[in-house]
Amino acid sequence: MEFTRRHVLSLLSAAGLTAVLPAGAATAAAGPSGGAPAANGLAKLLANAVRTFAGTPESNARPETAGKLAAVERAARAHLAAMEAAGEGELFEGLELGSSDPNLNATFRRLYEIALATCTPGGALEGDGAARRRVIEGLVTLHERYYGDQSRGYYGNWFTWEIGISTSVTATLALLADQLADQRPELTRTYVTSMDAYLRNGKDGDVDLDSRFHTGANLADITTNRLLQGALLGGRPGEQRVRKALEDQLTVYATIDPYALKHGVTDGYYADGSFIQHHSVAYTGSYGKGLLTRVTQTLKLLDGTGYADTAVLVPVVHRWVADGFAPVIFEGWMMEIVKGRSVSRTGTGYADTAAIAEAVTDLSAYAEGARATALKSYVKHLHTASREEPDPARFASPLTVTRYADILADGSVPAADLNPAARSTAFNAMDKTVHRRPGYAFALSRSSDRISKYEYMSGENLMPWFQGDGAHYLYLAGQDQRHAYGVDYFTTVSPYGLAGVTAPVEPRGTVPELYGKPYYDNPDHPLHFTASSESQNTYVYFPRGTHTHSGGAVLDAYGAAGMVQSDDVPYAHRDRLPDDFAVYRNATATKSWFLLDDEIVVLAAGVGDRAGRQVTTTVDARTAAPGDRVTLTSARTDGAPWRGTGTAGLSWLRYANATEHTAVGYAFLTAGEADAAEAAETTDAAETTDAADAADSPRSPNRSPHPSGRTPQVTVALKSVTRSRRTVRTANPDTAVTRQVFDVTFHQEAGTRPLALAYALVPGATEAALRAYAHGPLDVLANTPRLQAVHHSGLGLTALNSFTPGRHSTRGLRVDGPSSVLVRRAPGRITVAASDPTMRRDHLTVLLRDRRLRPVAADPGVTARTVTGGTLLRFPTRHAYGRTFTLTLRP
């Protein structure tokens, strides 16, 4: 029963998670009479913190921690030398203080790292009294001159003052608690008072759950700091702070219910595994990673204190790892679709996953049974699958280093991914899709009026404009993903030509180019544009799209996704924006992705531009090292072979990198004439009723998008590109990188009619496999802005996305209104999966043109009944937020 209760908690609201706090937890360490709180709980919390930061004599005597201890010592000695060389207005050489909040933040961080070295058992600087005095004197100086005066502080980034500095200061105070008690007993309380005062987005010096700044990963950071501060203060005030911090932090464990938001917060984990930060940004790989790290740290801090039943939290965090992180990690690489502005940073990808391995290592120590084994197996998997193994010397805690070593050495624990070999995941709450097979992973970034098109901030991700407009990333097994993606992909591939993107041919300016600084500054405008204002978020940092349609369905390991490309909010609101605010109009396209075994089928209709500009649709864009042996082979639509680059009508194309042993094929498809009796389509304005569903709809043939029966001309390019990494992030080193950039595109001249395009991405394809697509197994059943559908004869699978009100019919089925539907027919069984991609419908219906079907398995609320013309299925999509509903029927 206990396991069941904990499993259920992983999907409960914040109210359910109050079970984590034992009754009377406010005095968890109180004596039997319930009188004044004793100090043992707070003392245990503080001791846990020191153990976590510095390790123990036992852990640090292990040979595996030698690298970690050496790194701690190197950093501390370098910082002490920099203190000796510091000039006027500096505590460390090169970090001038007084006007730079990053320099002040780095200064506090360096003091912590010196303190850490003096408290690390077995370290060369352990117990160094002189170094500890330097740290304490530094804390005094910083508070007196640069931090304590509230009227002079809080310039620059709010994060520095509410989280960054507080994290370093709190940890330093914890490490040197005994020395501070002897030498400067007032300093701890002085700093805690100042840290409270700097919570200016809080309330009365504490967290404000209604603040847009105190959510998700940020809230976890703040509350973990406040847990430690409670231990430092001691007594009843310390107990009260710990209790309040725990109550606040527990809200980040709760699954977000978009229909019953708590404090208006959309940041956090959703039922489908999505993670959102900054209200509308898909952020598993950056802020989600930070949240995972913080909450596992909290488990360590609370261990044995009696303040919380941490065992109840383990299943919650395990679910984050299994359903949120594992799908977006491929062979040790964190996917680009969930990294926000950090896609432009150097050192992401494999390094991101090292942090996950670190957190899961700690989490496994608090899990039991099969869950513990699964987590340890995943740690081993990340170690063996990654091209860049996690470096334990970079782990935060020596205790984690030894746990990691023990897991790797445990022969009873197999290396195993938390993903099955074949998996399709619809992260509809954050407009992302991941499709995995043993040889590849396909990651798709969508956007809508719910989810941002991209994230730019602080000079990071300078050219992000189309990253949420159907951009995809095709990761190939066995490849070093640093050669394919990461910062160098965004540096060398045109921002207008990202893989999968339809974009107008029109140059755009970066924020610094347009406004001369990293943000748009206009505080006197009614929208009040300042660095951290809501208007800055809405119109500059992470603007949303303006169309509601973005979503998809999953049937077993197959998937469908659809999106209507839209203008962003700045363009839609251009009349209310300042005259000097730059806005850009988008191209138009309605797109579907059908995710199968050997191929990803892409349909695009209505591809064009209402402003009459040229438009480019990029089928794919790949990068390779300058010396890689890249070859291109293809065939024209008449079957004649064609090699190299240029423009032609192609039937198929194959990109191969012999150096990396990878290949991708592209099969260019046409939507042939379908049987009028089956491929009918109507666009009734009103949603169908049950009565109307029972009647046949008027029918009209599904016409080919290209009357000539040919696909548009394809342009193939392979060129060497050299650019500086600073092109995409102002803080990157001015390092020039060179890549071979391959792209295959469709070009539309200005003023031409909208196009319909159909093609398949075929990872690992041979030339023979690509030639075979001329004879099946794929049929494009429909490709218009109203309906897009395909059939795969080998799989017995029909998949469709419908985009408009009314009835839409294709081979063997009819749907009403916007929907995403997959139907798979096998001997004696038909399985149907459906979802609402708009997230606004109460229900949707599917008519199978099969009679006398009976349901044998169905998700709750799904019904089936016999009507004139077939079997009518009804799916309850109200408040489902893009969830897929499934039904299995038999004759």
Side-chain angles (χ1 to χ4, degrees), residues 760-784:
L761 309 173
V762 190
T766 63
E767 293 183 18
L770 291 169
R771 284 193 293 269
Y773 278 96
H775 310 289
L778 288 171
D779 290 319
V780 179
L781 305 179
N783 189 13
T784 75

Side-chain angles (χ1 to χ4, degrees), residues 665-676:
Y666 309 92
F668 301 103
L669 312 170
T670 57
E673 292 290 340
D675 180 14

Side-chain angles (χ1 to χ4, degrees), residues 241-587:
R241 182 174 292 242
V242 167
R243 169 71 184 196
K244 175 62 162 54
L246 278 173
E247 290 176 345
D248 291 338
Q249 187 170 122
L250 282 177
T251 64
V252 307
Y253 291 87
T255 302
I256 298 291
D257 180 355
Y259 304 104
L261 295 175
K262 304 296 183 183
H263 305 282
V265 172
T266 58
D267 290 355
Y269 283 95
Y270 288 70
D272 65 2
S274 296
F275 176 81
I276 290 174
Q277 186 78 28
H278 289 166
H279 322 297
S280 59
V281 179
Y283 238 146
T284 313
S286 185
Y287 276 89
K289 178 183 66 176
L291 175 59
L292 179 66
T293 298
R294 272 300 204 176
V295 299
T296 53
Q297 182 187 71
T298 300
L299 293 176
K300 293 187 289 184
L301 297 180
L302 294 175
D303 189 24
T305 64
Y307 287 119
D309 181 5
T310 53
V312 178
L313 298 176
V314 172
V316 182
V317 185
H318 174 259
R319 179 178 167 270
W320 294 355
V321 176
D323 295 341
F325 285 95
V328 298
I329 297 173
F330 180 71
E331 295 188 345
W333 182 268
M334 180 69 72
M335 295 178 177
E336 272 65 24
I337 61 172
V338 290
K339 290 194 284 197
R341 68 185 188 270
S342 71
V343 295
S344 63
R345 298 173 187 170
T346 59
T348 63
Y350 294 123
D352 292 323
T353 306
I356 306 305
E358 181 180 1
V360 176
T361 295
D362 285 332
L363 180 64
S364 70
Y366 299 95
E368 298 175 352
R371 178 173 283 116
T373 301
L375 291 169
K376 292 176 182 178
S377 292
Y378 189 56
V379 169
K380 265 194 176 180
H381 166 75
L382 294 176
H383 175 83
T384 58
S386 176
R387 283 297 188 100
E388 184 180 288
E389 296 175 358
D391 180 7
R394 300 175 68 88
F395 288 1
S397 173
L399 299 180
T400 311
V401 175
T402 58
R403 285 173 182 160
Y404 184 74
D406 291 341
I407 290 172
L408 297 185
D410 189 346
S412 68
V413 175
D417 197 351
L418 287 170
N419 295 290
R423 185 179 192 179
S424 200
T425 306
F427 292 113
N428 286 331
M430 62 179 182
D431 282 353
K432 303 293 178 276
T433 302
V434 176
H435 185 68
R436 306 171 66 101
R437 289 297 184 268
Y440 70 90
F442 175 82
L444 174 67
S445 182
R446 302 177 272 110
S447 59
S448 65
D449 61 354
R450 303 175 299 274
I451 296 298
S452 299
K453 285 178 172 279
Y454 56 81
E455 189 198 41
Y456 157 84
M457 194 185 294
S458 303
E460 297 190 290
N461 203 20
L462 290 166
M463 299 184 291
W465 309 298
F466 302 100
Q467 290 172 2
D469 281 335
H472 75 250
Y473 307 87
L474 182 56
Y475 305 94
L476 303 177
Q479 182 171 24
D480 188 332
Q481 302 304 334
R482 290 169 295 195
H483 300 163
Y485 294 110
V487 63
D488 293 342
Y489 174 82
F490 296 100
T491 297
T492 55
V493 173
S494 166
Y496 313 100
L498 302 178
V501 162
T502 294
V505 179
E506 175 187 65
R508 298 189 178 196
T510 68
V511 171
E513 288 170 345
L514 291 170
Y515 310 121
K517 56 178 62 177
Y519 54 94
Y520 176 69
D521 192 23
N522 195 341
D524 296 329
H525 188 271
L527 290 173
H528 188 61
F529 283 94
T530 62
S532 298
S533 67
E534 289 193 61
S535 293
Q536 199 79 226
N537 294 345
T538 301
Y539 297 110
V540 180
Y541 291 159
F542 28 89
R544 305 184 192 199
T546 51
H547 203 286
T548 185
H549 193 119
S550 178
V554 173
L555 174 54
D556 298 327
Y558 304 100
M563 183 187 78
V564 177
Q565 186 162 304
S566 64
D567 292 316
D568 61 15
V569 167
Y571 183 82
H573 294 181
R574 59 194 180 279
D575 291 342
R576 69 183 71 171
L577 291 168
D579 292 339
D580 64 341
F581 192 97
V583 297
Y584 299 97
R585 189 175 193 175
N586 208 354

Side-chain angles (χ1 to χ4, degrees), residues 652-674:
W652 59 266
L653 167 70
R654 183 174 185 266
Y655 165 93
N657 185 330
T659 306
E660 292 273 5
H661 305 290
T662 57
V664 182
Y666 309 92
F668 301 103
L669 312 170
T670 57
E673 292 290 340

